[in-house]
Amino acid sequence: WFVIRAYGIEKLKVMLREHIALAKELASQIEAEPDFELTTPASLALLTFRYRPPDLDEAALDALNERLLHALNDSGRVYLTQTRCRGRYVIRFAIGQRTTTRRHVQAAWDWIKETARDLASGAT
């Protein structure tokens, strides 16, 4: 009730629509990257994905994505969580903070790609 009282229904609707649109945009960007996999479509402002460079078996992909999640969270630049989708380790990306903008989502996605590719190349 405090959120509704603080922002009002109309402002909450606008914020939710914006977050949902950002999640759909991010899903499209993930699908466009050949070494990433969108594991669930955007549902409201939540989606899951994983890094999927070629020539790794499922166990190695799970381990790599777990290392990726830890590296991202340890950086302090983003905070993401994990789950399993069809038995595979995947990373959750949720957009929900009231001040999140396209700029924030894009910066997070750029950081995710950089960190993932550094891990795969052995740079980190």
Side-chain angles (χ1 to χ4, degrees):
W1 292 109
F2 290 109
V3 174
I4 293 172
R5 286 175 52 193
Y7 297 103
I9 294 293
E10 290 310 312
K11 190 167 184 177
L12 283 174
K13 286 180 183 179
V14 168
M15 182 180 63
L16 287 171
R17 285 185 189 111
E18 289 173 358
H19 289 174
I20 292 166
L22 290 172
K24 287 180 181 178
E25 287 176 26
L26 177 60
S28 294
Q29 290 182 42
I30 292 169
E31 288 179 313
E33 294 293 332
D35 53 347
F36 279 86
E37 174 184 17
L38 184 67
T39 52
T40 59
S43 176
L44 297 175
L46 172 72
L47 57 84
T48 65
F49 69 93
R50 71 181 183 159
Y51 183 49
R52 190 178 177 84
D55 303 324
L56 293 178
D57 64 25
E58 291 300 321
L61 286 169
D62 283 351
L64 177 59
N65 279 278
E66 185 172 7
R67 287 195 329 269
L68 173 58
L69 178 67
H70 290 292
L72 292 165
N73 289 343
D74 289 349
S75 77
R77 294 174 68 173
V78 296
Y79 184 76
L80 304 171
T81 59
Q82 61 83 25
T83 190
R84 293 223 168 239
C85 179
R86 292 179 290 278
R88 300 174 299 175
Y89 189 100
V90 299
I91 299 173
R92 282 188 185 116
F93 194 113
I95 302 167
Q97 209 286 335
R98 68 178 179 80
T99 60
T100 299
T101 65
R102 179 174 283 107
R103 169 178 65 89
H104 299 113
V105 175
Q106 189 61 55
W109 177 231
D110 290 343
W111 180 242
I112 291 165
K113 291 185 296 184
E114 179 182 337
T115 303
R117 291 169 179 152
D118 284 350
L119 276 174
S121 71
T124 38

